[in-house]
């Protein structure tokens, strides 16, 4: 059966469990007409209409704007408030909700709660009274200690509500009192919204309560509402649909900025929940022709997710239960933003409300503004699909793409630099970036030429990357095993104000056959946009332009880190704080990178003067914002008060390097520079710490204690001392008589790098092409089974190592997107 309904400018066409929503032109909106396709005759159905006080107001367009919400209505469904047996309240969930609402109220927001739970609370009380009464009567009549089985009669819902309202409110008062927050109870019915005077009185009362910083607790007066229709409620419990419509009406009437509707369903889905392809809809835009499917019915009440969108307008007696007044869309059209989310999940209940207000991706967000471009989930899906085609290309084809990108960087140099100048001007005028970050943001012809050279190196290295055989084993006769290199999958690279990172990581992803999501800093938005366009132009020569996606939406980094089913590896490029935040947020996705670059240069007692000056100057002053720049200079005690030490200090002062004295160094000086606050400091600027050690072993111990396992250097002419330093020091990069600035993928001959890893597994140091590959096992047999090798079997394992020979890559014809 298909049913059409037109409500408030939207056309709702339902079939089975699916809904199609589309906006109609204003002149084409008929009133109070529904049509059942069971017959060819249109059937008139009467709908409830309520005027919208904010019909012309605008709701928030993006989740990030929810932080600005001042007036918030939180609707608690019966499933959130009540226990699983529907008799009594879920006190733990209710306490967490109260804590979050009180916290937001204390931030200066105006909070209102529309709550269910009176029926369940009253049912618990009445059951107890009935059982107690029955037990007393039976004991008197039987005269025996053993009582007969007692049954509780079906309890009338309105009586339960009458018995539970006072207890529910007393509980709210006690809970909010723990946070020094006052509450007030307001009971309403549908009729209160039909009488203009009552509506004005209600509005005035709520406005005054909010003005006095009181949280109104609002509920339908279930003790006097009409009885529910047959088959519409579950075991006499009044359906949550009443409070859904109440919350929507109240939000519109009170001009609320946000309505948070919590129940036991996750949100809207693009296909039936529970099916393999079902995906939760992050943003629902009702203006599109969009088919959606609702979650399962709520445990308490019949509406479930259906009521959240369609409310309780009845099309006809034969309509599915979810064809009801669309509370969420009604509130949205009235100017109130709406988020529907699960308030019963034990892992998120304690922060679901605050997460929504902070703009995090929780539940389904309703927006009247059509999202610009695909969602990040759609981008990830496109990248993965196109990335698989990229991985199947011949190595020469991947190399052609990278070389073409290198050519474009030179050919389009003027356009790139013009876009970069726009970003630089905006950054300078804003005055929020340090000189070090401005240096990272800036591009120059020399940088672009260097990028192009690095990309061509990657193109050469890509010839034998994907599909390379690492090991061959003859397991048994006609049963051969190979271990080969393969792409990791989908990479998410997050970088701050460093646009040169985009072509580098794009080339490495292309060479390794990986799909790429690139999330750049907003400071480099113009530069990133043109660099991404050039990347896709290069990819398009073999019809794989979707393999590299630039995430330019308002996605928060924390939200991206939750896509654990779509992203295989996260690579952060930026400040130590950014890396730490990502490592903390990415619970289910591996993160490749380093949180800090606290690099040391140790000057041994047998160091050569000329080498010391050159290495220290280059390590600190060449590019102080780089992660491989020196942050701590360790000096052997014997060098103090020597001409060499004086030359080091003079050079640093000439280069305008601010020196911070370590504790031991400060103890040697009468008038010392400012003492360092922490020996674990990454300055990222023309600053460094100077500290004194007695021996090479003490230098190693210092680095192990205060370093970040990034890059550390020894300057000495004693080969034995140097070799012991190189062997004992546990850092990703350890150098002898060379600047720490050599810790770089380009300088290592890797072409470029996606970052420097200080992790202990997979990849360490500058991570180039090899670090973006993993392996898979390929077994070629001839009808072999494990049973063939049992005691009764006819075959035996050989496990012979075979020579590694590289197969000739096969040409894969890519399909045009046309």
């Amino acid at each position: 059966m298909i049913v059409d309904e037109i409500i408030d400018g939207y056309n709702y066409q339902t079939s089975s469990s699916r809904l199609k929503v589309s906006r109609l032109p204003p002149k084409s909106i008929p009133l109070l007409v529904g049509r059942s396709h069971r017959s060819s005759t249109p059937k008139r159905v009467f709908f409830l209409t309520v005027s919208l006080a904010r019909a012309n107001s605008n709701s928030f367009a993006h989740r990030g704007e929810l932080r600005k919400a001042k007036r918030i209505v939180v609707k608690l469904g019966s499933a959130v408030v009540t226990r699983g047996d529907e008799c009594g309240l879920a006190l733990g969930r209710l306490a967490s909700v109260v804590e979050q609402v009180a916290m937001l109220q204390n931030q200066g927001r105006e909070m209102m709660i529309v709550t269910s739970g009176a029926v369940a609370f009253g049912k618990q009380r009445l059951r107890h009274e009935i059982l107690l009464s029955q037990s007393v009567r039976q004991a008197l009549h039987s005269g025996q200690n053993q009582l007969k089985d007692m049954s509780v009669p079906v309890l009338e819902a309105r009586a339960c509500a009458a018995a539970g309202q006072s207890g529910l409110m007393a509980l709210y008062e006690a809970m909010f009192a723990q946070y020094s927050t006052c509450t007030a109870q307001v009971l309403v019915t549908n009729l209160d919204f039909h009488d203009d005077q009552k509506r004005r009185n209600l509005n005035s009362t709520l406005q005054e309560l909010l003005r006095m910083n009181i949280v109104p607790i609002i509920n339908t007066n279930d003790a006097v509402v009409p009885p529910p229709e047959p088959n519409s409620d579950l075991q006499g419990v009044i359906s949550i649909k009443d409070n859904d419509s109440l919350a929507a009406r109240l939000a519109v009437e009170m001009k609320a900025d946000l309505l948070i509707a919590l129940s036991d369903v996750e949100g809207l889905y693009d296909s039936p929940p529970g099916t393999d392809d079902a995906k939760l809809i992050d943003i629902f835009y009702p203006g599109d022709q969009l088919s959606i499917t609702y979650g399962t019915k709520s445990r308490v009440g019949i509406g479930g997710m259906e009521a959240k969108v369609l409310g309780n307008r009845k099309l006809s007696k034969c309509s599915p239960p979810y064809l009801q007044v669309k509370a969420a869309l009604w509130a949205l059209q009235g100017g109130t933003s709406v988020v529907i989310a699960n308030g019963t999940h034990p892992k998120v209940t304690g922060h679901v409300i605050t997460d929504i207000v902070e703009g995090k991706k929780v539940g389904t967000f309703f927006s009247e503004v059509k999202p610009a471009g695909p969602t990040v989930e759609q981008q990830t899906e496109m990248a993965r699909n196109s990335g698989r085609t990229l991985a199947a290309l011949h190595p020469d084809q991947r190399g052609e793409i990278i070389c073409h990108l290198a050519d474009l960087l030179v050919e389009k140099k003027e356009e790139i630099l013009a876009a970069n100048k726009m970003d630089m001007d905006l950054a300078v005028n804003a005055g929020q970036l340090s000189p070090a970050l401005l240096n990272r943001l800036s591009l120059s012809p020399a940088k672009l030429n260097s990028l192009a050279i690095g990309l061509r190196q990657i193109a050469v290295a890509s010839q034998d990357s994907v599909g390379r055989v690492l090991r061959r084993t003859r397991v048994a006769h006609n049963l051969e095993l190979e271990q080969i290199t393969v792409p990791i999958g989908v990479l998410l690279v997050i970088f701050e104000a460093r646009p040169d990172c985009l072509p580098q990581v794009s080339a490495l992803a292309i060479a390794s056959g990986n799909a790429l999501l690139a999330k750049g800093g907003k400071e480099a938005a113009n530069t990133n946009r043109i660099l991404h366009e050039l990347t896709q132009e290069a990819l398009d020569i073999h019809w794989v332009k979707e393999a590299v996606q630039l995430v330019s939406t308002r996605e928060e980094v924390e939200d991206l880190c939750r896509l654990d089913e779509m992203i295989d590896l996260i690579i952060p490029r930026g400040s130590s704080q950014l890396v730490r935040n990502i490592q903390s947020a990415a619970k289910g996705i591996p993160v490749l990178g380093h949180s800090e670059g606290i690099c040391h240069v140790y000057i041994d007692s047998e160091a050569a003067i000329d080498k010391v000056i050159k290495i220290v100057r280059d390590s600190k002053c060449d590019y102080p914002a780089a992660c491989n720049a020196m942050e701590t200079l360790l000096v052997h005690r014997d060098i103090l008060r020597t001409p060499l030490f004086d030359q080091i200090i003079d050079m640093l002062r000439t280069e305008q390097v601010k020196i911070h004295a370590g504790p031991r160094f400060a103890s040697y000086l009468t008038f010392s520079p400012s003492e360092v606050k922490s020996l674990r400091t990454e300055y990222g600027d023309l600053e460094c710490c100077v500290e004194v050690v007695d021996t090479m072993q003490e230098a190693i111990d210092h680095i192990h204690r205060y370093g970040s396992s990034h890059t550390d250097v020894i300057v000495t002419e004693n080969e034995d001392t140097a070799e012991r330093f190189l062997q004992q020091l546990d850092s990703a990069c350890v150098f002898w008589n060379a600047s720490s600035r050599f810790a770089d993928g380009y300088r290592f001959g890797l072409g470029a790098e996606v970052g420097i890893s200080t992790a202990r597994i997979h990849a360490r140091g500058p991570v180039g092409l090899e670090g973006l590959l993993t392996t898979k096992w390929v077994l070629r047999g001839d009808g072999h089974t494990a049973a063939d090798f049992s005691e009764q079997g006819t075959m035996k394992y050989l496990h012979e190592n075979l020579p590694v020979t590289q197969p000739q890559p096969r040409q894969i014809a890519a399909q045009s997107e046309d």
Side-chain angles (χ1 to χ4, degrees):
M1 182 188 70
I2 300 175
V3 181
D4 278 349
E5 182 186 14
I6 298 173
I7 307 175
D8 294 339
Y10 294 106
N11 177 55
Y12 299 88
Q13 186 182 83
T14 58
S15 175
S16 181
S17 63
R18 299 186 67 80
L19 168 73
K20 180 174 287 186
V21 182
S22 58
R23 186 190 287 274
L24 296 177
K27 292 184 180 180
S28 65
I29 303 176
L31 297 176
L32 312 180
V33 177
R35 182 159 57 93
S36 170
H37 286 255
R38 281 187 169 182
S39 65
S40 59
T41 305
K43 181 173 183 177
R44 290 198 171 270
V45 184
F46 293 96
F47 305 136
L48 176 65
T49 59
V50 177
S51 62
L52 301 178
R54 299 182 64 196
N56 297 320
S57 299
N58 294 322
S59 58
F60 293 125
H62 307 283
R63 279 188 186 268
E65 296 176 344
L66 296 181
R67 297 186 183 95
K68 304 175 185 177
K70 170 73 172 177
R71 182 168 292 180
I72 302 172
V73 176
V74 178
K75 180 264 168 186
L76 304 177
S78 296
V80 177
V81 178
T82 61
R83 299 197 314 240
D85 60 4
E86 303 170 27
C87 294
L89 302 179
L91 296 179
R93 285 200 296 266
L94 199 58
S96 69
V97 167
V98 167
E99 181 181 10
Q100 294 172 81
V101 170
M103 184 181 74
L104 295 172
Q105 178 84 0
N106 292 333
Q107 290 176 358
R109 304 180 197 268
E110 298 174 344
M111 304 298 297
M112 293 179 280
I113 294 178
V114 176
T115 183
S116 300
V119 173
F121 196 53
K123 181 185 288 187
Q124 183 185 37
R125 294 180 64 181
L126 293 181
R127 273 190 172 183
H128 177 77
E129 293 298 328
I130 291 172
L131 290 174
L132 181 62
S133 176
Q134 287 181 346
S135 64
V136 171
R137 287 199 304 270
Q138 287 189 14
L140 292 174
H141 285 88
S142 64
Q144 301 174 354
N145 292 329
Q146 293 183 343
L147 301 178
K148 299 179 181 179
D149 293 336
M150 295 178 291
S151 60
V152 178
V154 176
L155 298 175
E156 207 274 330
R158 287 175 293 177
C160 292
Q165 282 286 2
S166 60
L168 178 64
M169 192 59 207
L171 184 61
Y172 272 119
E173 288 180 350
M175 287 184 170
F176 273 105
Q178 302 300 314
Y179 304 96
S180 302
T181 302
C182 294
T183 60
Q185 182 181 28
V186 180
L187 293 176
V188 298
T189 66
N190 285 336
L191 297 177
D192 294 328
F193 288 88
H194 295 178
D195 186 293
D196 289 341
Q197 184 60 47
K198 289 183 177 180
R199 285 175 61 191
R200 285 193 293 268
N201 292 342
L202 174 62
N203 189 301
S204 176
T205 299
L206 293 175
Q207 294 285 5
E208 183 66 11
L209 291 174
L210 294 175
R211 188 186 67 81
M212 293 188 293
N213 202 33
I214 295 174
V215 177
I217 309 292
I218 306 143
N219 195 3
T220 54
N221 193 351
D222 294 335
V224 299
V225 296
E229 296 181 7
N231 302 321
S232 66
D233 290 335
L234 183 63
Q235 297 180 356
V237 179
I238 294 178
S239 172
I240 62 171
K241 64 187 179 183
D242 294 319
N243 274 341
D244 280 318
S245 60
L246 169 61
R249 295 177 195 174
L250 190 68
V252 172
E253 185 72 26
M254 296 299 297
K255 299 181 180 180
D257 301 309
L258 174 62
L259 167 60
I260 300 175
L262 299 181
S263 63
D264 58 353
V265 287
E266 302 293 338
L268 305 184
Y269 288 81
D270 60 357
S271 58
T275 60
D276 292 338
D277 297 328
K279 293 183 178 64
L280 182 68
I281 297 174
D282 172 40
I283 301 176
F284 177 61
Y285 171 64
D288 271 342
Q289 291 279 347
L290 178 65
S291 293
I292 60 174
T293 302
Y294 304 107
T296 57
K297 286 198 304 182
S298 173
R299 170 177 56 79
V300 183
I302 65 146
M305 187 46 51
E306 303 86 54
K308 302 301 177 300
V309 177
L310 292 182
N312 53 12
R313 292 191 191 185
K314 293 294 184 178
L315 279 180
S316 65
K317 292 182 179 179
C318 63
S319 299
Y322 55 79
L323 291 178
Q324 304 163 344
V325 175
K326 40 117 186 112
L329 291 176
W330 187 12
L332 180 67
Q333 192 178 16
T336 297
S337 295
V338 183
V339 175
I340 295 172
N342 190 334
T344 64
H345 198 292
K347 291 185 178 180
V348 300
T349 300
H351 47 81
V352 60
I353 299 174
T354 52
D355 281 354
I356 290 172
V357 176
E358 289 172 7
K360 297 180 181 179
K361 297 180 74 170
V362 179
T364 299
F365 171 62
F366 287 69
S367 175
E368 288 196 306
V369 177
K370 185 175 183 178
T375 65
V376 68
E377 291 85 359
Q378 292 169 333
Q379 284 186 288
T380 307
E381 194 68 30
M382 290 188 294
R384 184 181 291 279
N385 293 336
S386 193
R388 287 172 177 150
T389 305
L390 173 67
L393 293 178
H394 190 279
D396 289 341
Q397 294 174 303
R398 289 194 295 272
E400 287 174 13
I401 294 172
I402 299 170
C403 287
H404 187 45
L405 177 56
D407 293 339
L408 288 173
L409 290 179
V410 178
E411 294 171 10
K412 305 289 186 178
K413 175 171 55 180
E414 299 302 325
E415 296 177 34
I416 297 170
L417 294 177
N420 185 247
K421 185 178 184 303
M422 292 173 59
D423 290 328
M424 288 292 295
D425 291 343
L426 290 171
V428 171
N429 292 334
Q432 296 179 347
L433 293 186
S434 66
L437 287 179
L438 284 173
N439 192 20
R440 286 183 176 181
L441 177 61
S442 174
L443 290 181
S444 65
K447 272 190 178 182
L448 292 177
N449 290 333
S450 178
L451 277 173
I453 294 171
L455 263 57
R456 293 189 178 97
Q457 289 181 350
I458 296 173
V460 173
S462 68
Q463 295 301 309
D464 61 347
S465 57
V466 180
R468 186 173 74 256
V469 179
L470 302 179
R471 181 185 305 175
R472 293 181 64 225
T473 303
R474 180 177 287 117
V475 179
H477 181 65
N478 284 339
L479 186 64
E480 293 190 2
L481 178 68
E482 288 182 346
Q483 184 184 22
I484 64 173
T485 58
V486 294
I488 289 175
V490 178
L491 312 177
L492 169 61
V493 178
I494 302 171
F495 51 97
E496 294 179 316
R498 49 199 318 163
D500 58 330
C501 180
L502 182 54
Q504 286 181 344
V505 297
S506 296
L508 287 169
I510 294 165
S512 56
N514 285 290
L516 173 65
L517 290 180
K519 171 68 172 174
K522 61 182 180 181
E523 303 85 0
N526 294 297
T527 315
N528 287 336
R529 185 179 64 254
I530 188 170
L531 290 174
H532 177 249
E533 290 172 357
L534 297 179
T535 303
Q536 289 205 316
E537 181 179 336
L539 286 162
D540 204 27
I541 66 175
H542 289 297
W543 303 286
V544 287
K545 66 179 294 185
E546 304 296 343
V548 175
Q549 299 283 330
L550 180 64
V551 180
S552 56
T553 62
R554 295 169 178 249
E555 303 294 331
E556 297 290 341
V557 169
E558 187 172 341
D559 292 330
L560 292 171
C561 292
R562 292 176 179 174
L563 301 177
D564 56 314
E565 296 183 0
M566 309 178 76
I567 295 171
D568 300 299
L569 179 66
I570 300 177
I571 305 172
R573 297 286 304 272
S575 66
S576 58
Q577 187 61 49
L578 170 71
V579 179
R580 281 194 294 269
N581 290 343
I582 292 173
Q583 289 173 333
S584 175
K587 302 298 184 183
I589 310 175
V591 178
L592 188 151
H594 63 281
S595 59
E596 293 174 306
I598 305 176
C599 303
H600 296 74
V601 174
Y602 165 58
I603 310 301
D604 187 55
S605 59
E606 300 180 61
I609 294 179
D610 56 336
K611 293 179 183 178
V612 169
I613 300 300
K614 285 179 61 180
I615 291 172
V616 172
R617 177 188 286 114
D618 190 73
S619 295
K620 179 70 258 184
C621 306
D622 177 62
Y623 190 7
C627 63
N628 57 12
M630 180 193 78
E631 304 294 0
T632 299
L633 177 64
L634 296 178
V635 180
H636 193 283
R637 182 185 58 186
D638 294 347
I639 295 178
L640 286 179
R641 300 186 176 89
T642 66
L644 171 57
F645 184 75
D646 293 339
Q647 289 183 47
I648 295 172
I649 298 300
D650 289 342
M651 180 273 295
L652 291 175
R653 287 174 175 168
T654 302
E655 297 291 342
Q656 298 183 335
V657 177
K658 183 177 181 180
I659 298 174
H660 301 276
R664 290 197 60 190
F665 180 44
S667 67
Y668 284 97
L669 304 175
T670 305
F671 301 100
S672 69
S674 61
E675 189 167 342
V676 67
K677 295 180 180 178
S678 171
L679 291 170
R680 282 196 190 92
T681 302
E682 181 180 16
Y683 298 99
D685 207 341
L686 286 173
E687 297 181 63
C688 74
C689 169
V690 176
E691 182 59 310
V692 176
V693 293
D694 291 337
T695 65
M696 183 270 292
Q697 187 60 50
E698 190 174 316
I700 291 176
D701 293 340
H702 177 103
I703 295 171
H704 282 163
R705 182 174 182 179
Y706 299 109
S708 60
S709 300
H710 191 295
T711 301
D712 298 291
V713 177
I714 182 172
V715 183
T716 184
E717 296 303 303
N718 188 313
E719 183 175 354
D720 290 338
T721 301
E723 288 301 326
R724 283 190 288 127
F725 184 90
L726 298 177
Q727 292 174 12
Q728 293 180 30
L729 194 60
D730 189 21
S731 296
C733 300
V734 189
F735 301 161
W736 172 25
N737 287 348
S739 168
S740 62
R741 293 280 290 126
F742 279 102
D744 176 82
Y746 172 73
R747 296 185 177 101
F748 277 15
L750 305 178
E753 65 183 33
V754 293
I756 295 182
S757 172
T758 55
R760 305 287 172 174
I761 58 174
H762 179 62
R764 205 159 185 234
V767 180
L769 188 56
E770 295 293 325
L772 299 181
L773 297 170
T774 184
T775 64
K776 72 177 180 182
W777 296 90
V778 176
L779 184 65
R780 295 180 175 89
D782 187 20
H784 294 76
T785 65
D788 294 335
F789 297 87
S790 64
E791 292 184 1
Q792 293 78 28
T794 59
M795 302 194 71
K796 293 184 178 180
Y797 289 111
L798 300 177
H799 293 148
E800 296 176 359
N801 292 327
L802 299 176
V804 173
T805 58
Q806 302 302 331
Q808 187 66 27
R810 290 184 295 172
Q811 188 87 10
I812 304 294
Q815 298 295 317
S816 170
E817 293 179 347
D818 297 333

